[in-house]
Amino acid sequence: MSCPVSCCFATLILLLLWRVEQIAEACSCAPIHPQQAFCNADVVIRAKVVGGKEVDSGNDIYGNPIKRIQYEIKQLKMFKGPDKLIMAVFTAPSSAVCGVTLETNGKKEYLISGKAEGDEKMHVTLCDFIIPWDSLSATQKKSLNQRYQMGCECRISRCPSIPCTITAPDECLWTDWVTEKSINGRQAKHYACIKRNDGSCAWYRGVAPPKKEFLDIEDP
């Protein structure tokens, strides 16, 4: 028996809603330079994860419980954030909704950046800069102490294709994607965008702190 027009229309609507829900569940993050991630974050720490469990975190508008993963951590160092130890990190329950999976055996050290969430807590997503500590370059580790903070008033613009140019003096062009086809290339690992005395910004390369006056991408 053929489906009436109203029946077919209802089926089409359900299929469209299902497709929209599928798309809405996907997690999508714009590429971001580590310095930008540092500047955007409320909290940046080095830590070990010593435990994890699923917890309820209130209810949605329909009264259904909201699930999150709570990681218990041992903070080793704070690079940015409140004058308190962070004891717990919260995230969504799956990567489809930008949840982060961390090893909980207490052996691996992580750099974790994210948003502050009350006393001794923070919330993280896949769009935050979260990486095993040993995967950071020596320059990135040094930059966490002061270098990145020196450039938080600068803008880092990703160059998606050649040609691309800066549009303002306080901008640094991030070209890893066009030169190396990677967002974890040389500039991400070894460069910081620093504000100079004249208000302009330029890439600085190297582990040592920049001199009072430095040339673009100088290597001390």
Side-chain angles (χ1 to χ4, degrees), residues 20 24 40 69 106 114 124 215:
V20 168
N40 292 345
I69 302 300
V124 301
L215 299 174

Side-chain angles (χ1 to χ4, degrees), residues 80-124:
K80 182 182 181 183
D83 189 22
K84 292 181 180 179
L85 285 175
I86 299 296
M87 305 296 291
V89 173
F90 292 85
T91 192
S94 73
S95 60
V97 284
C98 293
V100 177
T101 300
L102 303 173
E103 293 185 17
T104 59
N105 57 16
K107 295 181 179 179
K108 181 177 288 188
E109 296 182 11
Y110 291 95
L111 176 75
I112 304 174
S113 68
K115 300 300 181 185
E117 188 176 283
D119 288 343
E120 303 177 344
K121 302 174 185 177
M122 62 186 294
H123 182 83
V124 301

Side-chain angles (χ1 to χ4, degrees), residues 37-54:
F38 176 94
C39 293
N40 292 345
D42 297 329
V43 182
V44 182
I45 58 173
R46 177 183 179 183
K48 292 182 178 180
V49 184
V50 296
K53 60 183 178 181
E54 187 176 78

